[in-house]
Structures are given as structure tokens and as C-alpha cells.
Amino acid sequence: MQIQWYPGHMHKANKAFKEALPQVDLIIEILDARIPHSSENPLLAELRGDKPCIKVLNKSDLADPDNIRLWQDSLDREQNVKTLALSQNHPERIQKLTDLCHKMVPHRSKVRLVKAIIAGIPNVGKSTLINTLAGRTIAKTGNEPAVTKIQQRIPLDDGIVLFDTPGVLWPNIENRHSGYRLAATGAIKDTAMEYEDVAFYTIDYLLTTIPDAIGERYDLDVLPKTELEALEAIGRKRGCLRGGGQVDLNKVSKLFLTELRAGMLGPISLETPIMVKAELIEVEQKRQIKAEKKATRMRGKSKKR
């Protein structure tokens, strides 16, 4: 899948984040509970060093609860990292985030305001979370990526100042599966992807892991065996047809991804810790092969000289 989605404002946002990092006591990284690994910014992990970090698994109502617990167990093993699963359906739990901030930097909270930088990929629900924490509308929200464009400082009532940053993606995704998952959950603008490509990938995964969710949502008498059969069956059920009664794959792909993002297929997780571990091994192998090819080319050029 080819995605062109790293515009100039994201480069500026990355630069602003680097400049603000030395001024803060801890980092709050908002992750999508459906794809905790794929929505985790690798650049942030490199930059933060040993600075305390709270990883919020947001939109937890849309993800499988058992899988959320697996991810929390995995992420909590990282040094100076604590996790918290949150959802806008339960705003009363969001107060736990500020309590955890004070616990993570107790020596700071006793003498002055705790400064926390809050970061996350586009469309992960960061602005909505900030508005809930502040008890008023401060950050602009929207149902598409790249709404927040500038950095803001937001004082909260309980001794915390939030440094808000625009939603940032990174210029290179080595794990192709992560690219598809980011597109499926709405982190990448729809204009930068092919609906059919993303829908085929996603529905293939769901047919392998939770096929009954497809059958129940779209009232299918017979469960499809392939992604094409599934999209065509859904298209016929929902009237996504062109002339001659053919299924409009673009239209049904849009419908499927819209309903998936809204949680209409039920709480669904698109990756597990075990799955990601295997994928990262594959990424490392490809990285080594690429490095070996580059070294071979360099040796060839040296001989010619």
C-alpha cells in the first residue's frame, strides 16, 4: 500500500515537540486501544529517554477488553511507563490520568506545577480528552486527522499544565501491517489511501479472527470465505450497486470502514502483542537484507574507483 501522508505541518510539529520536551516533567502519549503498537510513535520513544511516560489506550470501548489487558501487561513492563485505558463513554475515569501524573513525578508535584506534554497520532481522540480534562472546550476536535495545527499550553485545575501538540505521524512505516491498521482506524486521511486496498486487508483479518462479527453485523446467512466474497455480500445487502447489478467495491469499502471505525461491528482489536512481535522480527530481517544490499553496492563502487 502506497500512502502519501507526511505533509509539511507534521514536520513542523515534530520539531516543536523536540523543542518542548526538555521543558516538561513527563509525557502523555495517547494510543488507539485497537492498535496500541501501530499508533505508538517510534520517534517519541527515541526522544524521551528515561522521562516518565503515561500511555493512554484511548477509545477503549471500541477495542476487545481481553486484548487491552494483554497490551497493558506488555507496555507496563517498559521502564518508567504506566498505562491507562480510557473511553469518552466513561468521562469520570479520565480523572485517573491527572492522579497518575502526580504519582509519576511526586517530587515535582510537591513544589510546583507538573508540566506534561500530550502527544498522539491524528484522530486518536486527544483533543476530546483534553477538553474533558479541562472541563471546557479548549482544543478543537474533529472526526478526521490533522485538526490540531499549533502547540498550546493548557492549565488544569489540579496543578498540571498540559503542552498540547498537533497529531503527528512519522515519515516511514517499516511494518506494512501498521500502515494498513492506521488507515483502517482513520489515522490517515482518506484522500491518501485506496479504500478498497484497506478494506480488503482489514476484512481479511476479521474473517480470520472473528468471522461471526461480519456475519452478525451484515445479516449474512453464509459466512464468506474470502475478502472479495465478503465485500460483495455486504454490498448486495446494503445496496452498494452499479449498473447491471454489479457491486460497487469503492462504495462498499467506504461503508465498511466507516462502520468499523464507529464500532458498529462491536469491540474489535486489530493487533495483539504476539502478532506484533512476529511482525517486528520480519521487519528486522528485511532491514538486514536491505543493509547487506547497500553494503554490496558500496563495495562495488569502491572497486570501480
Side-chain angles (χ1 to χ4, degrees):
M1 178 178 61
Q2 296 295 320
I3 297 177
Q4 303 297 326
W5 48 263
Y6 196 72
H9 77 268
M10 286 193 181
H11 174 75
K12 292 178 181 178
N14 260 324
K15 184 179 178 181
F17 181 86
K18 292 177 185 178
E19 292 173 351
L21 200 54
Q23 306 173 46
V24 302
D25 303 307
L26 81 157
I27 300 165
I28 301 171
E29 184 175 17
I30 313 300
L31 308 178
D32 188 319
R34 297 166 294 182
I35 52 169
H37 169 75
S38 296
S39 59
E40 188 176 40
N41 191 337
L43 299 178
L44 190 152
E46 293 176 12
L47 291 171
R48 77 175 181 89
D50 60 355
K51 200 176 286 285
C53 181
I54 300 172
K55 297 190 177 185
V56 175
L57 276 65
N58 203 28
K59 302 186 180 182
S60 60
D61 57 307
L62 300 179
D64 176 71
D66 293 334
N67 199 53
I68 289 176
R69 283 189 286 272
L70 290 175
W71 275 110
Q72 286 191 275
D73 289 342
S74 176
L75 294 170
D76 281 334
R77 296 193 191 104
E78 297 179 16
Q79 186 175 7
N80 288 334
V81 170
K82 295 293 182 184
T83 61
L84 194 61
L86 295 178
S87 162
Q88 292 304 315
N89 289 346
H90 299 282
E92 72 281 358
R93 297 180 187 171
I94 294 176
Q95 182 60 39
K96 292 182 179 180
L97 180 56
T98 55
D99 295 339
L100 189 54
C101 286
H102 286 289
K103 289 180 181 178
M104 293 285 281
V105 285
H107 58 292
R108 295 292 189 188
S109 58
K110 290 179 182 178
V111 295
R112 63 171 176 81
L113 293 174
V114 173
K115 296 178 181 178
I117 190 167
I118 186 165
I121 63 172
N123 206 30
V124 78
K126 178 167 62 71
S127 295
T128 302
L129 182 62
I130 289 172
N131 291 339
T132 304
L133 285 170
R136 59 195 186 280
T137 301
I138 293 176
K140 185 179 178 182
T141 62
N143 60 357
E144 65 174 41
V147 171
T148 305
K149 291 292 198 304
I150 59 172
Q151 190 180 90
Q152 307 177 74
R153 294 191 184 190
I154 304 161
L156 304 182
D157 293 335
D158 37 17
I160 297 173
V161 176
L162 285 180
F163 287 57
D164 183 21
T165 57
V168 176
L169 286 166
W170 39 102
N172 181 37
I173 297 178
E174 292 183 284
N175 184 355
R176 69 179 186 88
H177 301 286
S178 289
Y180 278 110
R181 292 169 194 145
L182 287 164
T185 53
I188 297 170
K189 281 191 173 183
D190 291 341
T191 52
M193 69 179 203
E194 296 289 339
Y195 278 108
E196 296 99 318
D197 193 20
V198 177
F200 267 65
Y201 176 90
T202 309
I203 207 163
D204 178 56
Y205 172 74
L206 297 183
L207 286 173
T208 303
T209 54
I210 46 172
D212 290 342
I214 302 292
E216 290 175 12
R217 173 62 190 170
Y218 298 105
D219 193 26
L220 304 179
D221 297 327
V222 179
L223 284 175
K225 294 181 180 179
T226 68
E227 58 269 39
L228 178 60
E229 289 178 5
L231 286 172
E232 288 184 336
I234 294 168
R236 284 190 289 271
K237 280 282 184 179
R238 294 298 183 85
C240 300
L241 304 174
R242 294 182 297 188
Q246 288 187 325
V247 173
D248 186 329
L249 286 177
N250 184 265
K251 188 174 181 179
V252 72
S253 295
K254 286 182 181 180
L255 180 145
F256 167 70
L257 290 174
T258 298
E259 295 193 355
L260 174 78
R261 293 168 183 173
M264 294 180 182
L265 280 74
I268 291 173
S269 294
L270 297 178
E271 62 187 18
T272 68
I274 293 176
M275 179 194 308
V276 167
K277 187 176 180 180
E279 290 171 2
L280 292 180
I281 292 173
E282 180 183 342
V283 167
E284 182 58 33
Q285 290 172 343
K286 289 181 178 179
R287 199 181 290 161
Q288 290 175 3
I289 293 171
K290 187 176 180 181
E292 289 170 2
K293 287 182 178 179
K294 183 178 180 181
T296 301
R297 287 198 303 270
M298 295 302 292
R299 286 194 295 269
K301 289 180 181 179
S302 296
K303 288 180 180 180
K304 288 180 180 180
R305 286 197 294 267

